[in-house]
Amino acid sequence: MLDALDAGTLSVSDVAHQLGVSRQAVTKARRKLRPASAAPAASASTTSAPTVAIDADDAQAAAIAAARLALLRGHQILGDPAAPSPVGPQGLKSTVTALVDAVALLQRLGALDVAQADEPAPLTVRIMSADDADELRTRIEADMANMFDPDGAA
């Protein structure tokens, strides 16, 4: 089972379930039976990714591409505001932060003109009086009655 755990074919939860013990007990026994120095080093056999030297123009092009990709993915995550979000509150906060950072980077690199950036629309809050609310309700009811009028009077 230790080899299967090391290979990733079994999880600690699977082993704990099979043996009827807690996950903590499996982890403790694993550490005792196979100290970190004796465990097979999977990462030692892998090679690191090759490094490639790029010039400033390529770096800027890569940064622009990455920022655009971040914008695209962020908008995919946020999606339709009426639909339920696929991520929780912290994920939404992180997504919005990434979008703001991507826009700022694109502006700094000159790939997004600041004049083209959408300015937030002004928000006007007006509190209705009771008379205004009654008048609005009357207009809506009249519009609804006209919409379903069988004579077609609209």
Side-chain angles (χ1 to χ4, degrees), residues 100 103 107 114-124:
V100 169
V103 167
Q107 288 175 340
V114 177
Q116 292 177 346
D118 291 333
E119 293 295 323
L123 175 65
T124 305

Side-chain angles (χ1 to χ4, degrees), residues 117-133:
D118 291 333
E119 293 295 323
L123 175 65
T124 305
V125 177
R126 192 182 124 208
I127 300 174
M128 282 191 212
S129 67
D131 292 338
D132 289 341

Side-chain angles (χ1 to χ4, degrees), residues 25-36:
V26 172
T27 302
K28 187 175 179 180
R30 183 180 183 189
R31 287 185 188 138
K32 188 175 182 180
L33 294 172
R34 191 170 284 170

Side-chain angles (χ1 to χ4, degrees), residues 99-118:
L99 289 172
V100 169
D101 290 347
V103 167
L105 175 66
L106 289 172
Q107 288 175 340
R108 273 195 316 270
L109 294 176
L112 180 64
D113 187 10
V114 177
Q116 292 177 346
D118 291 333

Side-chain angles (χ1 to χ4, degrees), residues 50-146:
T51 57
V52 178
I54 57 173
D55 61 19
D57 291 336
D58 289 340
Q60 183 170 347
I64 289 171
R68 287 181 176 164
L69 182 61
L71 287 175
L72 174 65
R73 184 64 184 127
H75 285 284
Q76 288 172 340
I77 289 171
L78 295 176
D80 181 10
S85 175
V87 296
Q90 188 62 37
L92 286 175
K93 180 180 177 186
S94 298
T95 301
V96 170
T97 300
L99 289 172
V100 169
D101 290 347
V103 167
L105 175 66
L106 289 172
Q107 288 175 340
R108 273 195 316 270
L109 294 176
L112 180 64
D113 187 10
V114 177
Q116 292 177 346
D118 291 333
E119 293 295 323
L123 175 65
T124 305
V125 177
R126 192 182 124 208
I127 300 174
M128 282 191 212
S129 67
D131 292 338
D132 289 341
D134 289 339
E135 179 184 333
L136 181 60
R137 186 177 301 109
T138 303
R139 280 193 318 206
I140 291 172
E141 289 171 354
D143 288 346
M144 294 299 288
N146 290 337

